[in-house]
Amino acid sequence: MVNDVVVVGAGPVGLLLAAELRLVGVDVTVIERAAARSPHSKALTLHPRSLEVLAMRGLAGPFVREGVPVPTGHYGGLPVRLDFSVLDTRFPYTLVLPQLRTEQLLEERLRALGGEIHWRHRALEVRQDADGAEVDVAGPDGTYTLRAAWVVGCDGAGSAVRTSAGIDFPGTGTTATGLLGDVVLDAPPSAPSVDNEYGGFLIVPLADGHHRVAGSTRESLTIPADRPLTFEELRGHMCQVAGTDFGMRAPRWLSRFGNAARQAARYRDGRVLLAGDAAHMHMPMGGQGLNVGLQDAFNLGWKLAAVCQGRAPDGLLDTYHAERHPVGAALLENTQAQTVLGATHTPDAQALRSVFSRLLAAHPAVNRQFAGELSALDVAYPADGAADRLTGTRAPDLGLDGAPEPSLYPLLADGRFVLLHLGTEGDAGREPGDALAAGAIAGSPDRIRAVTARPTTAHDGWAGRRTVLVRPDGHVAWDTALSTK
């Protein structure tokens, strides 16, 4: 049997990608080397843009109901928080929700669309030719080979797909390590972080009564990442920094993490593509890794589906690298900068923390810029045309009067393009040429939902727009202005 797509890895990125493909009827096989989902959650937060991504498919509700909204974020563990409440979004907060629950909800989505996961199936090697690719798989009943038109590696930083495809993974190795523990704190601090010249820790309350403590001290930074972390060691480092262990007890997960920072040289190699940690790894600063990975999958999903179904040439997949590789590079840059601020416990680093804290406190524009970067709401893709065009930018959940839905995002639920006619009644912006041009971009006219409506919410850059074509991933494909004649 020949598959349309084999997705290697059933973490959040692989699950969302597979669900996006199944949404429009693409045949997908998902394989995962683990026997079951890990009970431990490496990531804890969903950022505003990730919640918008989920909202575009009608999925945000369960996440928001179960998660804990926090209207701030952190940059390098600085005591002055980033203010997400000022961001132009229906989700102006970080949502604390363990990765395990995120994966479970995304798996429910995939299964509802007819997809399934093959557990204990490990990708050994990937080969490709002009017509497709093959994946050698070690399963519970022996070794076999899957044939597919496309293979996507969503299999983490140690990606077997990336390695066997010969895609370089340049960057820097681990030079410092941090500590992580999910524990009970009988007397938790009122502030979300503690730090001084000895070290620093972030302390995040979890919904089940536990706390996530993560950080480092001068001494812990040099301990190899593969050395097991003991509870007594974690308590000792916390006491060194805070003067107390806050009544720490009942550890259920202890781990170390490193600051290696690498990015795949290319996100596409012929019939092989990479997403998430397989494409980029970094110090887990700001909770960005899972979120950027989800957004990789959302960018790739509609493009890969269009190619699989013959609605677009495979050159469309080159835009995946062109659009997402710079986002990954920016991710590495800001996490490396945060590592200097949050995991370098020297007098010089303390001075730098003081300077940055004053900047964030005294200059709302600086705070807003960092919040926009970490939330991914400021991501815009390269586009030709005048500087005042919306093309390439993120579309907000524009309120609409006269549309089948009250706002833009529900109109994207089926994964089609949305052609918005926003001109006044009788405006010349609804000529057939708009739909013909949109059809050429979308790959076929049946993949476009045309809507005529009046905007009911104001957003930067949207005033005076006549016609806007919104891609399935919520970015603007092109736009035109109202006539001023």
Side-chain angles (χ1 to χ4, degrees):
M1 177 180 176
V2 177
N3 305 267
D4 288 334
V5 180
V6 171
V7 173
V8 181
V13 178
L15 291 170
L16 181 60
L17 176 61
E20 284 293 284
L21 296 170
R22 286 299 309 144
L23 177 64
V24 294
V26 174
D27 177 53
V28 185
T29 297
V30 181
I31 61 173
E32 167 57 53
R33 65 182 300 169
R37 239 169 247 305
S38 171
H40 307 305
S41 296
K42 291 187 293 182
L44 288 180
T45 56
L46 291 172
H47 287 175
R49 184 54 178 170
S50 295
L51 293 171
E52 289 188 342
V53 161
L54 295 168
M56 288 176 212
R57 298 296 183 263
L59 304 175
F63 292 85
V64 173
R65 285 193 294 271
E66 295 191 28
V68 178
V70 180
T72 62
H74 78 87
Y75 194 88
L78 295 175
V80 178
R81 306 281 287 182
L82 300 182
D83 183 6
F84 282 13
S85 70
V86 301
L87 300 176
D88 181 18
T89 176
R90 295 189 189 276
F91 307 99
Y93 48 78
T94 56
L95 189 73
V96 178
L97 185 70
Q99 179 176 332
L100 172 61
R101 189 60 185 139
T102 293
E103 292 180 357
Q104 290 170 338
L105 290 169
L106 290 174
E107 184 177 345
E108 289 175 13
R109 165 70 166 179
L110 176 59
R111 293 191 183 280
L113 293 169
E116 61 177 314
I117 302 167
H118 299 276
W119 298 95
R120 295 168 57 199
H121 288 250
R122 179 166 59 95
L124 301 173
E125 185 179 359
V126 177
R127 298 177 299 278
Q128 61 175 308
D129 52 45
D131 300 318
E134 293 182 339
V135 185
D136 291 338
V137 182
D141 299 320
T143 301
Y144 65 98
T145 299
L146 285 171
R147 176 79 181 176
W150 304 92
V151 175
V152 187
C154 303
D155 50 340
S159 173
V161 174
R162 186 191 65 240
T163 301
S164 63
I167 299 174
D168 291 339
F169 201 41
T172 58
T174 298
T175 59
T177 59
L179 314 169
L180 179 153
D182 286 351
V183 297
V184 172
L185 299 182
D186 289 331
S190 57
S193 62
V194 292
D195 71 89
N196 51 39
E197 67 272 22
Y198 300 110
F201 282 89
L202 290 169
I203 302 166
V204 181
L206 305 179
D208 62 359
H210 282 71
H211 282 75
R212 165 71 53 87
V213 297
S216 58
T217 66
R218 291 180 185 176
E219 292 77 14
S220 74
L221 286 170
T222 61
I223 299 174
D226 58 358
R227 182 184 298 179
L229 174 63
T230 68
F231 178 57
E232 288 305 315
E233 182 185 354
L234 179 63
R235 287 183 67 248
H237 287 297
M238 178 64 81
C239 288
Q240 183 182 16
V241 174
T244 176
D245 66 359
F246 301 109
M248 187 184 299
R249 60 182 176 83
R252 68 179 179 193
W253 185 38
L254 301 170
S255 183
R256 298 186 201 271
F257 54 89
N259 68 332
R262 299 185 182 277
Q263 184 179 21
R266 54 194 184 280
Y267 285 12
R268 178 194 177 188
D269 183 273
R271 297 276 177 167
V272 176
L273 300 118
L274 304 174
D277 290 352
H280 39 75
M281 68 178 297
H282 54 90
M283 188 79 151
M285 282 287 186
Q288 296 173 87
L290 180 149
N291 291 275
V292 173
L294 289 176
Q295 293 149 32
D296 287 345
F298 209 56
N299 181 288
L300 176 59
W302 69 270
K303 297 175 180 178
L304 186 54
V307 172
C308 286
Q309 296 177 335
R311 295 184 281 105
D314 67 14
L316 178 64
L317 295 175
D318 292 333
T319 69
Y320 169 61
H321 172 92
E323 292 181 345
R324 295 304 297 174
H325 194 273
V327 175
L331 168 68
L332 263 65
E333 181 182 63
N334 86 59
T335 51
Q336 287 174 306
Q338 290 187 72
T339 298
V340 173
L341 287 169
T344 310
H345 311 298
T346 65
D348 290 346
Q350 287 298 112
L352 189 64
R353 288 175 63 83
S354 295
V355 170
F356 264 75
S357 293
R358 289 198 301 272
L359 282 172
L360 293 178
H363 299 281
V366 175
N367 195 303
R368 166 62 181 79
Q369 179 176 335
F370 284 5
E373 290 175 358
L374 264 68
S375 68
L377 295 180
D378 286 357
V379 170
Y381 299 135
D384 297 327
D388 62 346
R389 297 284 297 278
L390 292 172
T391 304
T393 63
R394 153 196 164 265
D397 193 14
L398 188 71
L400 298 171
D401 180 34
E405 300 285 353
S407 63
L408 171 60
Y409 287 178
L411 297 172
L412 292 160
D414 60 3
R416 288 188 291 171
F417 284 71
V418 172
L419 181 63
L420 290 174
H421 295 297
L422 301 174
T424 58
E425 189 67 29
D427 183 76
R430 285 176 280 176
E431 64 272 12
D434 283 344
L436 292 174
I441 293 175
S444 62
D446 67 341
R447 295 303 304 164
I448 305 166
R449 185 175 191 177
V451 175
T452 299
R454 182 177 62 85
T456 61
T457 53
H459 303 274
D460 288 347
W462 282 74
R465 294 296 95 187
R466 183 191 74 188
T467 307
V468 181
L469 181 66
V470 181
R471 302 180 345 182
D473 63 355
H475 281 259
V476 176
W478 58 250
D479 67 294
T480 60
L482 286 167
S483 173
T484 57
K485 295 181 181 179

